[in-house]
Amino acid sequence: MTTASVIASALVGGVFFAFSVFVMRALASMPPAQGILAMQRINIAVIHPLFLGVFLGTAPLLAVSTYLARSKPHADPWLLAAFLVYGVGSVVVTLAFNVPRNNRLAALGAATSEAEAYWPVYLREWLFWNHVRCIASITAAVLAMRATEIV
């Protein structure tokens, strides 16, 4: 269970890492209407059972791992920390900061002046919160991995 938590956290962190390092940079280099349309399509495509299963399933995996490790006092704090870091830094941040920006972008016509004006703001703000999600997901994987070294 803990190994699955490590893999899932790292996998989600890798997706966020890709967006932080090159996907958003590529979209920002395109003419605004094209970058906006591409991001709108990405935001639709990401609503996929496989991605959502891993993204949303990681927190429960970490919670169950934490519960199962309660008899191993040296592992339990690492897993609890992983659960909290992932839950807040990845899931809560996504729902509170990235999704509202995605929804606002989705409501705009890609080729409108309103979308073009919002695009640089979207890129800056969305990317900042994506960095947070990336760091949180990878940190959670490392914390959960640390628990497996003790068990």
Side-chain angles (χ1 to χ4, degrees), residues 37-96:
L37 184 59
M39 191 64 189
Q40 288 171 332
R41 299 279 170 85
I42 289 169
N43 288 334
I44 292 168
V46 77
I47 308 301
H48 185 281
L50 193 52
F51 175 75
L52 290 177
V54 174
F55 173 65
L56 295 173
T58 298
L61 266 176
L62 286 164
V64 170
S65 294
T66 302
Y67 177 77
L68 294 174
R70 70 192 184 285
S71 64
K72 299 172 179 88
H74 297 294
D76 185 42
W78 295 105
L79 289 167
L80 180 59
F83 168 71
L84 293 172
V85 167
Y86 185 86
V88 173
S90 189
V91 177
V92 171
V93 163
T94 297
L95 297 175

Side-chain angles (χ1 to χ4, degrees), residues 27 30-41 44 104-120:
L27 296 180
M30 300 168 77
Q34 292 176 8
I36 292 164
L37 184 59
M39 191 64 189
Q40 288 171 332
R41 299 279 170 85
I44 292 168
R104 180 172 175 197
L105 190 69
L108 301 173
T112 65
S113 59
E114 185 182 3
E116 187 172 342
Y118 179 57
W119 184 234

